Amino acid sequence: MPETPLLIQTSSASHSQMMGYILQSRDGSLIVVDGGCTADGPALLARLKKLGGEKPRIALWVMTHPHNDHTHAFLCMLKNAPEEFS
C-alpha cells in the first residue's frame, strides 16, 4: 500500500485517443476514472493487478461520459474477465 495516495494517468494501448486515471488511496483502495477503449482493457486490468493484487477490488469506477474511449475498457473487462476483479 502506498504511504501517500497515488494517482496514475493510464496510457493508451490502442491508436485511439483516451483518458483514464487510477487513484490508489493510503488503504490500498482503487478508484478508476474512465479507463479507455476496448483495446485498453487488458493493459488496464494488468495495471490494476499490479497495484491491487491478483484480484483487485475496485472501490469505485467513474465514467465521466459515454464515449467509447471512456467506457469500453470497463465493458471489455466486465465481458472477458469478470472473475479477475471485484
Side-chain angles (χ1 to χ4, degrees), residues 6-11 18-24 30-36 44 47-48 51 58 60-64 69-70:
L6 179 63
L7 178 63
I8 299 166
Q9 182 174 3
T10 59
S11 57
M18 57 82 70
M19 185 75 68
Y21 297 92
I22 302 168
L23 172 66
Q24 186 176 32
L30 298 173
I31 297 171
V32 178
V33 179
D34 296 325
L44 178 60
R47 175 62 72 88
L48 292 167
L51 293 168
I58 302 165
L60 178 67
W61 197 305
V62 178
M63 291 179 228
T64 59
D69 60 323
H70 295 261

Side-chain angles (χ1 to χ4, degrees), residues 45-46 48-49 53-58 77 80-86:
L45 181 57
L48 292 167
K49 286 182 173 188
E54 194 55 34
K55 186 172 182 176
R57 182 180 177 285
I58 302 165
M77 288 171 53
N80 297 318
E83 69 286 346
E84 295 191 44
F85 67 98
S86 60

